[in-house]
Each structure stands twice: as structure tokens, then as C-alpha cells.
Amino acid sequence: MGRMLTIEGLRLATRRHGAPVELVRGLDLSVSAGAVTALVGASGCGKSLTCLGIQDCLPSGVTRLAGRVAVDGQVKAGLELRGRLVATVMQNPRSAFNPVLSMRAHALETLKAAGRQGPDSDKRILAAFAEAGLDEPARILALYPFQMSGGMLQRVMIALALLSEAPFLIADEPTTDLDLVLQAHVLDLIERLVARHGLGVLLITHDMGVVARAARTVAVMESGQIVERGDVHDIFTEPRHAATQALVAAHLALYPEEQVA
Ligand SMILES: Nc1ncnc2c1ncn2[C@@H]1O[C@H](COP(=O)(O)OP(=O)(O)OP(=O)(O)O)[C@@H](O)[C@H]1O
């Protein structure tokens, strides 16, 4: 059986006006190797917090009340997961880079954090950058974040994920800030990496077009809970929960030609 990332009973909360408010309310989810699992839902339903909660790097003011994250059945702490078992690609790549570090320095840090630094580091960095579709990787390694476009930075994030050799990738709205052509490139790239390296991807999005294009299974979230899950085809053809029906209807209203038979 392939590798599996499992999240069980994740509960995240904050305090408002002195009273506790649960933002993620007992979420169970699994991500299989070699496939893309989409976590979808309207803005504010808790997708990003779930992604941060899995890795135990929550923003201040939000705490984890309960929940376990396991890889292949073994419970893991955030520190063991981050960068070693789970790599991340985020919506706004610019905010993920240190403005005073070159791409090479970022890549070396990634290797160090993953415990994979060695005499062949530079060779591996060049290979990962090339695989992420960055032309002239040797030139790009010398660049700083401000010298690069959002699309290039997104590819570097994916290259860094590859370098870490983490078996799982959490991609939080990886295409939202990109134009349509770059969106397609990034989704193509993720699909290739899933096929070639057997990555297990948790793709967080509110865009059902991205879901239809990239995901095998889908979990639909509303108000901090998963309200429906299923195969991507079933989600589009027979959505059962009102939240799923609303997401599918909104998508088909925009793209009626994508009506699934
Ligand atoms: N640091 C924080 N402190 C308190 N509440 C927060 C914090 N971050 C997020 N929230 C609240 O948690 C809820 C879920 O937020 P989250 O960012 O996970 O939503 P989302 O589904 O990812 O939305 P979007 O698609 O807009 O990114 C929202 O009600 C949000 O206001």
C-alpha cells in the first residue's frame, strides 16, 4: 500500500470577546501518495487554518484543541512533518521568501532543514529547478525574490518542495494569484510530480475549475467541518450537500461548457 498522511479529529479554536470559538471542528482527512486530494470550500470555512494546523504552525491567537496527524499510521509532531514529510506551496509565493536571500541560499536552507545537504547539493538544486520548469536554472539561482515574477517564485517553491524529498505536498491556493496561462503551467507541473515521484498532494482551493482539472478525490468544507467527500466525478455529477451543490453550480454558471455528463 502507498504512503498515507492522515489527519484525525483536528479541532482549532480562537477566542472572540473572551469566549472560545471553534474554527475547525473535528476534521478527519487522508491524503494518499500518488494522488491529489482537494480540500474545497467557501472563503473563511477554515481551509488555510487546517493546512497550518496539520503542520502545527498556527497563527497567534489560534490554538489546537485536539487532533492527530500521522504518516503511515505513526503519529507525527509538526516539527517532524514540516519540510521533511510535508512540503508546502502557498498562495502568495513572494511572502514565503526571505528578501535578502538568493534562490540558491533558499535552496541550501531547504536541504539543510530536510537533513539532505551533501557534496552534491548544487547538482541536486540545479536538477530540481530544471524539473520545476525553470529555464536557465544556474542564472536563476543567483537571483533574489524581488528580481523574479510571481509565477517563477511559485515554480521555485515547487522546486524547493522537490528538493526536500518530502512525500507529501500541501498546496494552499497555489494558482490563485497567477494568470490563467501560469495557473495551467503550475497545475501541469504538480500533476507531473505526482505521476513521476508519487507525491501525495493536498490541494487547497476555492476554485472548482482547479478541482476538476487536478484532483482525484475531493473533501468539501463548510464552517470548519468536512460536509461531503468523494471521487471528483461524483462530486460534480451528484453533489449531495448544499455547500457542494453551491460550489458546483457557481462553477457551471461561469463555465457552462464544463457540464459533466
Ligand atoms: N489568526 C487568526 N485569529 C483568529 N481567527 C482567525 C485567524 N486566522 C483565521 N481566522 C478565522 O478562521 C476562519 C477560517 O479562516 P481560514 O483562513 O482558514 O479560511 P479559508 O477557508 O482558508 O479562507 P480563504 O479561502 O479566504 O483563504 C475565518 O473565520 C477566519 O476569520
Side-chain angles (χ1 to χ4, degrees):
M1 206 179 77
R3 306 199 72 177
M4 181 89 85
L5 174 71
T6 322
I7 298 106
E8 277 174 32
L10 184 67
R11 289 174 57 210
L12 307 175
T14 190
R15 293 188 81 79
R16 283 188 193 141
H17 310 296
V21 178
E22 263 193 64
L23 302 170
V24 173
R25 303 182 291 149
L27 178 137
D28 297 324
L29 187 65
S30 45
V31 179
S32 309
V36 176
T37 301
L39 181 62
V40 294
S43 184
C45 70
K47 304 182 296 295
S48 294
L49 283 185
T50 297
C51 139
L52 296 170
I54 292 170
Q55 302 168 84
D56 216 2
C57 52
L58 290 164
S60 71
V62 180
T63 49
R64 180 150 138 182
L65 301 179
R68 300 188 326 158
V69 180
V71 173
D72 304 334
Q74 304 243 314
V75 176
K76 300 284 178 189
L79 209 57
E80 294 174 274
L81 293 166
R82 284 194 300 271
R84 287 177 182 259
L85 291 164
V86 177
T88 36
V89 173
M90 307 204 302
Q91 176 173 357
N92 178 354
R94 211 164 284 285
S95 66
F97 286 87
N98 183 334
V100 299
L101 291 185
S102 68
M103 294 302 118
R104 180 169 179 276
H106 280 94
L108 286 171
E109 274 202 352
T110 300
L111 282 175
K112 198 167 151 201
R116 299 189 189 280
Q117 240 175 341
D120 61 344
S121 289
D122 277 323
K123 204 170 127 203
R124 281 163 47 214
I125 292 170
L126 284 171
F129 275 51
E131 188 168 2
L134 290 152
D135 296 332
E136 300 183 79
R139 183 182 66 83
I140 286 169
L141 284 176
L143 299 180
Y144 288 81
F146 75 91
Q147 296 171 306
M148 300 184 50
S149 68
M152 281 167 89
L153 288 173
Q154 197 61 290
R155 282 178 191 270
V156 173
M157 277 217 165
I158 293 173
L160 298 182
L162 271 177
L163 266 181
S164 73
E165 294 184 34
F168 297 97
L169 174 71
I170 296 181
D172 188 358
E173 303 274 8
T175 58
T176 302
D177 285 349
L178 305 178
D179 68 39
L180 284 177
V181 173
L182 286 176
Q183 279 188 17
H185 286 169
V186 168
L187 291 178
D188 277 348
L189 178 57
I190 290 176
E191 276 172 2
R192 271 207 307 278
L193 301 182
V194 168
R196 194 178 298 165
H197 298 280
L199 269 186
V201 178
L202 178 62
L203 176 65
I204 294 173
T205 181
H206 62 270
D207 183 340
M208 292 303 278
V210 169
V211 173
R213 164 79 207 274
R216 183 194 289 176
T217 52
V218 185
V220 180
M221 207 171 166
E222 185 186 57
S223 307
Q225 285 180 312
I226 290 180
V227 292
E228 183 165 356
R229 59 183 95 219
D231 172 88
V232 66
H233 185 265
D234 296 344
I235 288 286
F236 273 90
T237 52
E238 293 174 54
R240 291 188 308 270
H241 192 278
T244 319
Q245 289 164 357
L247 286 167
V248 171
H251 176 68
L252 292 178
L254 277 175
Y255 305 100
E257 71 282 4
E258 284 184 23
Q259 197 84 39
V260 192

